[in-house]
Every structure is written in C-alpha cells, then in structure tokens.
Amino acid sequence: MTLLPNQDAPAPRPQSCPAQGRPRRFIPLLLALPIAAALAPAGLGAQGLASLPPLPAPLGLPQLQERVSCPTLQRRIVAAVGSEAPLWSVSVADPGGRLLADLNGRTPRLPASNQKLVSTAFALDRLGPDYRLSTKLWRLSDGSLRLTGEGDPDFGLEQLRRFAKLALGSGGGPGTPKGPIRLQLVEEPAQRWWPAGWSPADRAEEYGAPITRLAVTSNAVEMAVANPPNRLKQLLGRELAAQGGQAQISLVSAQAGPDPGAVLLHEEPSLSMLGLISVANTHSHNFTAEVLLRQASGSWDLARARAAAMQWLQDQGLPMEGVSVADGSGLDRANRLTSRLLAALLLRMANHPYGADYQASMAITGQRGTLRKLLKGTELDGRFYGKTGTISGVRSISGILESSAGTRYVSMVSNGANDPNQTIGRILRQVHNASLCPPTP
C-alpha cells in the first residue's frame, strides 16, 4: 500500500525511502506465549510503552545562546524578509550553540507540520530506534479471540487476510464449541479519534483521518474513513467468509480490564522507528505523527500525551516561553512553537545518541519528500535536511543546512506571509554563505 500524504506532501513514498520493508514475526500456535510471561495484559492499555527511561537533562551539551553573534547574517535575513518582518520568525544556530541570527525568535506562531519535529524527536528519544508498533491476535481464557493494535500506519489488507486465516485456524482453543468464532476488536472511544482542534472539513480529508489503534490503510481511502471500527468489521467479516468461516465481531474499549489468561497467537510488527519517523517527517504523514506522540507518552489520552511532550521539551533545557503542544501533527491550529524552540531542538537532537536517525528521517532539498522540488538544481540541492509545514496562512521550514562554514540549524516560520517560498530560498542562500559567519577559532 502507499501511505497517504499530508497537505504539503502530495507525492507517494518513493521506493528509495529508508522506511521500506516490514519484516514479520510469526508465532506458531503450539508455541504461543502466556501473557503472564512478561507480556502486556491482553493488549489493553498497558503496551509496555516508553520503556526506555528519559535521558538525563543535557547538562554540558551545547545550549542555544541568547544573543545574536553574526550581525552580518542578521542584517541579510532582515533584508530578505523586508516589509513582512512582523510575519516571520527566523532563528539560525551553529553546533556550538551560537545564535547566529534571530528575527522574532521568541514569538509563538502556528508551526503547521513543523510540529512533527517535536513528535518524532520525543518518540525517538523515549522509544528508541529499534521500536516497532505492533498488532496482535490473542486467544482469551474463554476461547474467544481479541485483536489489539498500536496504530500501525502501514497495516493493510494483506495483514488483515493473515489475521483472518490465523483466527480461523486457531479453532478457538481446546473445548470451545464449534460455530462462528468470537472476535473482539479493541479500540479507543470515538471522542478520541480526532484532536479537538481539527476542523470538520479537515476530518473529512485523507490527511485528517481519525486516529485509531486498528487502522487499515491509515483510515483513508481517497478520503478519510468516518467510522474505522465499522469498516474493519466489514473487511474482517468479508475475509473470514472468503476463507470459509464466520465470526461474531464485537468492539471492546481499550480501557477495559485485561484477561490474565490470554495467550498471544500472532504479532505483526510495523516499520522500524526510523521508517516511522521518516514517514512522518519526509512525507508529513499526520496519522503516523499522532500515533508516535501517543505511543511515546504511554497514553492514548491526548491531554496526557500533550502534557508528556511538553514535559519532555522542558527536560531538554529548550526555550519554552509561549510554546504549546496541541497535537502531534500540526493540523490543530492551537499549536504554538517558536523558531528558537525549533532551532534549539535541532541542536539538541544533533547531540543525541540517535541524532543520525533523526536527521535521516527528514526531507532533502531537490531530492526527497516534501522538499524534492525546492531549490532543485541550485547550490542548495541536497544540502538541507528539513521538515516543511503548510496549512492555510502558514508556511514553515526547519532543518539542518550543511555549508562550507559548518552545520547550521535553521528554523523559519511565517504566519500570513505572501510568497513565502521565495523568502525561504533567499534566507537559506544567506545562511549558506560561508563568508558571513566564519567559524569561531
């Protein structure tokens, strides 16, 4: 399947994306593991999430300085934005934490999909590069079956067929009466499917599909699927019938209690963490970013997930004045970030043990993802790894620029600017000019 794009990512995922390939792990029925053996209780709520402890506060790591230290670049950036300066926030830093230039860097603005830089950094730090989302089939103590999930964005019809075959082949366990199998689908309540700030119009589009634990094709088929559990029930019922079986399929709340006697029959892992954050950053996939925020926080309650992300940002020693996390993707217009926060986050992640994975997840100017057409064929082609953001009235780009004077961490956020892409190009060319800010001795 091809994952749906966000508003600012109209192209399908290319074959060269590092997110390709999804190794599958099958658990033979005779070797099924009892849940008591250190497994999450029937997949209900306790997912073993955020199992890695948070890193200690980054004491001794480069911190973004307060004062601008490259007045020449500062003047060039002010000239690049011209009369639209009040509509822009721009911050540029070097690997030592020098704030080379800063225009309205403390002004909170709508970040659009630059919000995904927060969600993916949070998830990579808390869950680690080897983490995979999981969809599982369980046999309960009464012989019925239960399907649980963690929002795998790449879960498709092929995997659904496999689950249907395994459900029929399980036979319901020893001593279970013959007849239709009983299958429970564990899902979040409908009020949690969308962040509150997503507009009804956005919710109808593919990029605004509902966020659920069991999502076939990311809950989108050209447009958003309005009721994912009903669609899943229909698809599963159809597959079971095609394979000569029948099932009584019901919904169970993800907040329901576990079955201590449950046995894991089969598990389908998602892409690796690098694959997941690449889908979110390179291709700006809203669904994936929302799932990563929830999994990293250990809660599918969005209020708790937002609070956990805010606390994580605070723990990194980043400038938090005016910052507000409303969702994981940037579609909610209640999000507020500053260009200083984003530049400092990029600097922090460059010094993170998984920093190479973080940079590798981003689009590249002239080459890949949502930046594949920007500055193609120029001196900046292939030099900028970044994340785009586009919603009505908002254009943002933040990322890492490799110049002959060294690495630069750049964040540009505009709210209400005209022709922002031209301004972004002018700013990046000035930042790339090695003569403006020579490295310190």
Side-chain angles (χ1 to χ4, degrees):
M1 59 168 286
T2 300
L3 283 169
L4 59 130
N6 190 9
Q7 287 171 292
D8 58 335
R13 185 169 58 191
Q15 292 300 311
S16 60
C17 177
Q20 295 301 309
R22 51 182 298 134
R24 298 281 166 187
R25 179 156 59 93
F26 292 85
I27 301 176
L29 298 182
L30 293 178
L31 299 179
L33 303 176
I35 190 171
L39 291 173
L44 295 181
Q47 307 276 334
L49 303 178
S51 56
L52 295 179
L55 293 177
L59 299 176
L61 294 178
Q63 297 290 300
L64 190 65
Q65 298 174 5
E66 293 289 327
R67 294 186 178 182
V68 170
S69 61
C70 185
T72 305
L73 179 60
Q74 178 76 11
R75 289 192 295 271
R76 296 286 185 92
I77 287 177
V78 170
V81 299
S83 62
E84 290 193 325
L87 306 178
W88 282 89
S89 291
V90 181
S91 298
V92 183
D94 73 2
R98 287 195 305 161
L99 187 62
L100 302 180
D102 187 80
L103 175 65
N104 303 322
R106 297 180 183 274
T107 302
R109 298 193 190 275
L110 277 70
S113 283
N114 270 207
Q115 190 74 31
K116 294 180 175 74
L117 289 172
V118 173
S119 304
T120 54
F122 179 41
L124 183 60
D125 177 60
R126 294 304 309 275
L127 301 174
D130 298 323
Y131 182 83
R132 296 174 187 267
L133 302 169
S134 184
T135 308
K136 298 176 181 178
L137 180 66
W138 306 83
R139 185 171 64 231
L140 305 183
S141 53
D142 65 359
S144 63
L145 303 177
R146 179 174 289 172
L147 189 62
T148 66
E150 296 176 338
D152 181 355
D154 212 27
F155 188 84
L157 295 177
E158 176 188 349
Q159 292 77 43
L160 197 65
R161 292 188 188 100
R162 191 146 51 236
F163 274 113
K165 181 177 181 179
L166 290 164
L168 291 173
S170 73
T176 303
K178 299 300 180 182
I181 62 172
R182 291 171 292 148
L183 178 59
Q184 299 176 354
L185 308 178
V186 178
E187 194 50 86
E188 296 292 325
Q191 59 266 31
R192 290 188 177 180
W193 293 353
W194 289 276
W198 289 17
S199 73
D202 286 334
R203 297 181 188 197
E205 300 290 340
E206 59 180 6
Y207 61 79
I211 313 303
T212 62
R213 291 178 177 271
L214 295 169
V216 181
T217 62
S218 294
N219 290 334
V221 183
E222 296 184 351
M223 301 291 285
V225 174
N227 193 324
N230 276 357
R231 180 192 179 213
L232 180 56
K233 288 172 67 174
Q234 293 172 3
L235 291 173
L236 258 177
R238 192 178 305 157
E239 278 303 321
L240 289 165
Q243 296 182 32
Q246 300 180 48
Q248 297 173 353
I249 304 174
S250 60
L251 291 178
V252 175
S253 169
Q255 284 70 55
D259 180 347
V263 173
L264 179 62
L265 301 179
H266 178 62
E267 178 179 3
E268 292 271 332
S270 73
L271 301 169
S272 68
M273 177 60 77
L274 176 57
L276 293 168
I277 64 175
S278 295
V279 169
N281 285 336
T282 293
H283 303 287
S284 207
H285 195 238
N286 288 334
F287 184 95
T288 302
E290 295 293 340
V291 168
L292 288 174
L293 172 65
R294 288 156 178 77
Q295 290 296 108
S297 71
S299 175
W300 275 60
D301 180 329
L302 184 54
R304 293 182 180 181
R306 292 194 305 254
M310 286 286 288
Q311 184 61 55
W312 181 82
L313 290 170
Q314 183 75 46
D315 292 344
Q316 308 312 302
L318 305 179
M320 294 295 291
E321 183 179 0
V323 171
S324 179
V325 173
D327 69 3
S329 62
L331 196 57
D332 195 315
R333 298 184 77 89
N335 287 300
R336 293 293 185 275
L337 298 181
T338 66
S339 60
R340 282 203 188 186
L341 178 281
L342 287 165
L345 175 63
L346 291 165
L347 177 62
R348 166 71 184 100
M349 292 306 293
N351 290 277
H352 193 282
Y354 310 141
D357 291 317
Y358 189 61
Q359 180 170 341
S361 74
M362 298 182 191
I364 304 175
T365 47
Q367 297 186 15
R368 188 174 74 191
T370 59
L371 287 172
R372 69 196 179 282
K373 294 182 179 179
L374 187 68
L375 302 169
K376 188 174 184 65
T378 72
E379 72 276 16
L380 293 169
D381 192 332
R383 306 288 291 181
F384 183 72
Y385 295 73
K387 179 74 201 76
T388 61
T390 306
I391 56 176
S392 178
V394 179
R395 181 61 168 162
S396 58
I397 294 185
S398 299
I400 303 162
L401 177 65
E402 303 292 351
S403 76
S404 58
T407 303
R408 300 291 183 255
Y409 306 101
V410 187
S411 177
M412 298 166 281
V413 184
S414 67
N415 286 183
N418 292 312
D419 201 8
N421 279 355
Q422 291 298 319
T423 302
I424 287 166
R426 290 195 295 270
I427 292 172
L428 284 177
R429 287 185 177 92
Q430 296 302 328
V431 176
H432 187 252
N433 188 339
S435 67
L436 300 183
C437 302
T440 56

